[in-house]
Amino acid sequence: MRKLQTLRQISTKPELANLLGVKPSILTYALYVTKPEKQYIQFKIPKKSGGERIINAPTGKLKTIQSALSNLLLDCLDEINQEKYPKSEFSKQSVKYSKILKVRCGGARSKQPSLSHGFERRRSIITNALMHLGKKNVLNIDLENFFGSFNFGRVRGFFIKNENFKLDPKISTVIAQIACYNNELPQGSPCSPVITNLITHTLDIRLASLAEIHSCTYSRYADDITFSSREKIFPTKIMREDSGNYVVGKKLRSEISRSGFSINHKKTRIQFKDSRQDVTGLIVNNKPNTKREYWRTVRAQCNSLFKNGSFTVNSNGKVSIGNVNRLAGQLNFIDQLDHYNRLRQKPPLDPNYQWKRDALAHQNKNKQKKHLFSGREKTYSEFIFYRLFYSADKPTILTEGKTDNLYLKSAINILSGYYPKLAKTKTAKTPYELSVQFLNYSARTKFLLELHGGADYLKDFIKNYSHNFDRYKALTNQHPVIIVVDNDDGPKELINAVSKMGSAKIFPTSLTIKSDIRKSDFIHVTHNLYLVMTPLLAGETKSDIEAFFTDADRLKQHNGKCFNTKKNRKDEINLSKDSFANHIISAQKTTINFDGLKPILDRITMAIEHHNLPK
């Protein structure tokens, strides 16, 4: 049954709790037993325009409940849009889990109004900015005390009266109790933005209609409202400038006031085409982009990090040591813009790139992408390498693919008591925590690091490791980077390449690397890079990681199929490696016998211990 239909039909707190996925007793305790002042942490953050913003962030059980309410309301909104716009781009099943942001659709029949872009699925400040690209005039308006404009009664009344919801008054009351604090929607709550968007949708419709009358484009991101126009003079009935002051049009002022808001005149401005136009912090003159000074600051911080191991930030005249996690977020955001702009444009391939690509293809180096990097992508690539490999917070493990990641993660989880260097065992006071990190391959790691699943990518990664490593001068605490591969023909070229590297050292040292590499416990390749192969089983010259599971576990069934014993396995009729890893090993890990994988975990531990030896 659809969630919106279920929400309309329920009338009791236990029913709402079940729909939210929490126990009724927990909902009752959070709303009626715990005092509100104990459920929120209040702190202040500086505003870009000066002053401070008060944040009331929920904690514990209330935060969990509010997050569940947010997801429920977003599911309901998806169902509403699916019903209203069945042929829209966003109603397609293929887009449901898409990470690529889209606004402009192929034809009018597939378009879905893009009015609100803040805190909505598949919307962002990027999609908001795209609405206003290449316009002659851009008007920005800020709504004053936005979250404080939604009190308890307004929230409750919306869910009772709104045509899409029409909830039972008791359920509407409980939703308002979950969402409100001090008789308003608090900034910092996971469900506040979703509820504000739902309530403000009526204003969006009215202002979009006003924009259409005057040949403008309208969008809103939380409390930031934007109108843009291709006309030489911005429509004076929406906003006009008089002696340096902005005069709000009668209809616009009326609609905003009618919806219970007021305009912050200090943030009202019209930006012309010959000036820098920005929408929610992004430049929109030609393409969505960050401000130049933003990128220059990020680039300088990266250069300092690579050279010194740290960087500084200047906030309101105060200089302090920068946070690497925050820098990572800034770089990731810039990369989202660059990646999205790459997807949008289709220019002819640069002749120099074409020549380079052909030359690399001739040398069987098709996977190399660095010649395609922009300056920003080059910096981001170097940052990712620095953070994952040169100066990681914990040992990094690379495998041949996501199934091997699942095998090892599951084994470490169950056997954590035997391997304190790989994970912290869960206790009554502390949660389970991995002490190593696994690299999850993606399209961006493939492009930016030239690294993806498969032995060929890992071979090139090893060959180029010293060159990439030596770019950095920072003296930092380094952890090992451990590549784990099957000891069979798959990574044959990788193993042969390592055996010929002058820097590589085999362990135990009694073995000879060129002839005995497959018998090794581990190989110290260079710097902090190690290679671990699956052990050879008695009487065999090859092995893969699946061979270390018991026949009983390999015969466990999913959808009528099993992975099968090593002797009887047939790829065309048996369970795939992906299904075996996800539906048997990971999903049923508490019933799996992982003792066979101990020799592999032993070798990973030995590599970590070797790296930790005094140099």
Side-chain angles (χ1 to χ4, degrees):
M1 183 180 292
R2 291 174 33 161
K3 291 187 178 180
L4 180 57
Q5 183 180 351
T6 304
L7 185 59
R8 286 171 178 162
Q9 292 176 353
I10 63 176
S11 59
T12 66
K13 286 192 292 292
E15 289 176 317
L16 178 60
N18 290 331
L19 190 56
L20 292 173
V22 299
K23 293 181 179 179
S25 58
I26 291 178
L27 179 61
T28 300
Y29 185 84
L31 294 184
Y32 309 115
V33 178
T34 306
K35 294 181 179 180
E37 57 269 20
K38 291 185 177 181
Q39 294 187 327
Y40 288 86
I41 296 176
Q42 187 178 98
F43 56 93
K44 299 177 181 179
I45 59 174
K47 295 181 180 180
K48 291 183 179 179
S49 57
E52 295 179 321
R53 190 186 309 276
I54 298 176
I55 303 296
N56 288 295
T59 60
K61 295 180 177 62
L62 181 61
K63 183 178 181 180
T64 301
I65 294 169
Q66 289 181 343
S67 295
L69 176 60
S70 174
N71 288 326
L72 173 62
L73 294 176
L74 286 171
D75 288 340
C76 291
L77 185 59
D78 283 346
E79 292 174 3
I80 292 168
N81 288 331
Q82 172 73 35
E83 185 175 336
K84 287 187 175 182
Y85 311 103
K87 296 183 179 180
S88 75
E89 184 80 14
F90 288 89
S91 293
K92 293 180 180 178
Q93 188 66 25
S94 60
V95 180
K96 186 174 182 181
Y97 302 105
S98 174
K99 294 182 180 179
I100 297 176
L101 306 170
K102 292 184 179 179
V103 170
R104 297 169 187 252
C105 308
R109 291 183 180 180
S110 67
K111 289 183 180 178
Q112 175 180 323
S114 303
L115 304 181
S116 172
H117 294 258
F119 312 104
E120 297 206 18
R121 288 172 179 166
R122 295 176 293 279
R123 309 286 191 187
S124 69
I125 64 172
I126 299 177
T127 62
N128 189 49
L130 281 168
M131 302 294 291
H132 307 283
L133 289 181
K135 300 297 180 69
K136 291 185 177 179
N137 296 286
V138 176
L139 166 67
N140 288 326
I141 299 172
D142 183 80
L143 298 179
E144 201 161 26
N145 190 26
F146 182 65
F147 285 91
S149 301
F150 301 88
N151 58 30
F152 183 94
R154 188 176 185 183
V155 173
R156 178 180 181 273
F158 169 81
F159 287 105
I160 294 174
K161 298 177 183 178
N162 182 265
E163 288 295 323
N164 291 317
F165 287 91
K166 287 189 175 180
L167 304 185
D168 185 283
K170 294 178 183 177
I171 298 300
S172 299
T173 299
V174 177
I175 289 177
Q177 288 172 332
I178 293 171
C180 294
Y181 173 62
N182 285 343
N183 196 32
E184 65 180 40
L185 289 176
Q187 290 195 63
S189 164
C191 62
S192 290
V194 183
I195 295 175
T196 61
N197 282 338
L198 289 171
I199 298 176
T200 313
H201 184 63
T202 301
L203 173 64
D204 290 333
I205 295 295
R206 292 169 181 165
L207 295 188
S209 177
L210 175 64
E212 185 176 12
I213 292 171
H214 297 286
S215 302
C216 291
T217 300
Y218 166 86
S219 73
R220 179 180 59 83
Y221 189 97
D223 56 353
D224 289 321
I225 288 176
T226 305
F227 289 85
S228 61
S229 170
R230 297 188 185 278
E231 302 296 327
K232 292 183 179 180
I233 300 176
F234 193 82
T236 57
K237 290 191 176 181
I238 294 179
M239 184 74 67
R240 63 185 175 87
E241 190 175 3
D242 185 10
S243 302
N245 297 314
Y246 290 108
V247 180
V248 184
K250 182 179 179 180
K251 183 65 173 178
L252 175 60
R253 183 173 61 251
S254 172
E255 292 295 359
I256 289 176
S257 176
R258 176 184 174 188
S259 297
F261 301 108
S262 58
I263 296 175
N264 183 351
H265 293 281
K266 294 180 180 178
K267 293 186 177 181
T268 300
R269 66 194 188 282
I270 297 177
Q271 303 165 102
F272 306 104
K273 187 177 182 180
D274 56 357
S275 65
R276 188 169 70 178
Q277 299 172 326
D278 76 87
V279 175
T280 47
L282 294 181
I283 307 305
V284 295
N285 293 72
N286 297 308
K287 63 181 180 180
N289 206 350
T290 59
K291 297 176 181 178
R292 291 180 182 176
E293 54 267 30
Y294 182 88
W295 163 242
R296 283 199 295 265
T297 299
V298 168
R299 182 180 59 190
Q301 290 173 346
C302 286
N303 291 338
S304 177
L305 181 68
F306 301 158
K307 183 178 180 180
N308 306 312
S310 64
F311 62 94
T312 58
V313 294
N314 190 326
S315 179
N316 297 325
K318 295 181 180 179
V319 178
S320 59
I321 298 297
N323 185 301
V324 176
N325 291 330
R326 180 168 182 175
L327 179 59
Q330 292 172 313
L331 284 163
N332 182 60
F333 173 67
I334 292 170
D335 183 61
Q336 285 182 36
L337 280 169
D338 291 342
H339 182 44
Y340 191 67
N341 283 325
R342 275 185 180 275
L343 293 173
R344 291 180 64 248
Q345 58 193 10
K346 296 180 180 179
L349 189 65
D350 187 307
N352 293 326
Y353 286 166
Q354 182 70 47
W355 176 86
K356 182 72 172 179
R357 189 182 70 175
D358 291 344
L360 290 170
H362 186 69
Q363 302 172 55
N364 294 319
K365 296 180 180 179
N366 306 64
K367 295 186 289 298
Q368 291 189 12
K369 304 295 182 185
K370 286 186 173 62
H371 63 285
L372 295 172
F373 288 176
S374 66
R376 303 204 307 194
E377 286 169 332
K378 180 176 181 293
T379 298
Y380 189 37
S381 171
E382 291 174 353
F383 176 84
I384 296 174
F385 190 98
Y386 177 92
R387 197 174 186 215
L388 286 178
F389 310 125
Y390 184 85
S391 184
D393 294 333
K394 56 181 69 172
T396 302
I397 297 177
L398 287 77
T399 66
E400 293 183 77
K402 59 183 180 180
T403 57
D404 291 355
N405 279 2
L406 284 174
Y407 297 149
L408 294 177
K409 284 181 181 179
S410 300
I412 293 171
N413 185 302
I414 300 301
L415 303 174
S416 59
Y418 297 96
Y419 297 97
K421 285 185 169 57
L422 303 183
K424 296 176 183 177
T425 307
K426 182 180 180 180
T427 66
K429 295 183 178 180
T430 58
Y432 169 80
E433 181 185 353
L434 274 172
S435 299
V436 295
Q437 62 181 354
F438 288 81
L439 180 62
N440 295 315
Y441 300 117
S442 67
R444 291 313 273 165
T445 64
K446 186 176 182 180
F447 181 74
L448 292 169
L449 291 177
E450 299 174 350
L451 186 59
H452 205 59
D456 276 351
Y457 281 98
L458 292 174
K459 179 193 69 176
D460 291 343
F461 176 76
I462 290 172
K463 284 184 174 181
N464 297 322
Y465 193 82
S466 285
H467 172 74
N468 292 328
F469 190 94
D470 291 338
R471 289 181 304 205
Y472 310 100
K473 306 302 178 185
L475 298 176
T476 65
N477 293 324
Q478 292 172 350
H479 290 282
V481 176
I482 304 168
I483 296 175
V484 180
V485 298
D486 289 333
N487 204 342
D488 58 13
D489 288 337
K492 181 179 178 180
E493 292 186 13
L494 179 156
I495 295 170
N496 289 340
V498 171
S499 68
K500 297 174 184 177
M501 293 178 67
S503 61
K505 294 180 175 59
I506 191 170
F507 291 86
T509 55
S510 57
L511 300 176
T512 302
I513 192 166
K514 290 188 177 180
S515 58
D516 301 323
I517 186 170
R518 289 184 179 271
K519 300 176 184 177
S520 66
D521 289 335
F522 64 90
I523 306 293
H524 181 204
V525 182
T526 183
H527 296 297
N528 62 338
L529 182 64
Y530 291 79
L531 174 66
V532 167
M533 292 170 283
T534 54
L536 295 175
L537 298 173
E540 297 195 16
T541 58
K542 300 175 185 178
S543 70
D544 59 35
I545 193 169
E546 287 85 8
F548 293 87
F549 291 104
T550 65
D551 282 347
D553 291 331
R554 292 165 64 96
L555 290 170
K556 289 179 183 287
Q557 292 204 352
H558 173 71
N559 289 340
K561 292 184 179 181
C562 68
F563 194 66
N564 217 330
T565 62
K566 184 177 179 181
K567 182 180 179 181
N568 298 322
R569 174 160 174 75
K570 294 181 179 179
D571 289 341
E572 61 272 16
I573 61 174
N574 291 143
L575 206 61
S576 68
K577 289 186 178 183
D578 185 70
S579 293
F580 180 62
N582 282 282
H583 300 295
I584 304 297
I585 301 303
S586 181
Q588 304 177 43
K589 60 187 172 187
T590 56
T591 67
I592 300 294
N593 182 352
F594 287 104
D595 286 348
L597 272 70
K598 283 183 177 179
I600 302 174
L601 300 185
D602 288 339
R603 291 183 169 192
I604 293 173
T605 301
M606 283 189 280
I608 293 173
E609 289 173 343
H610 177 268
H611 181 268
N612 292 340
L613 290 173
K615 300 297 188 290

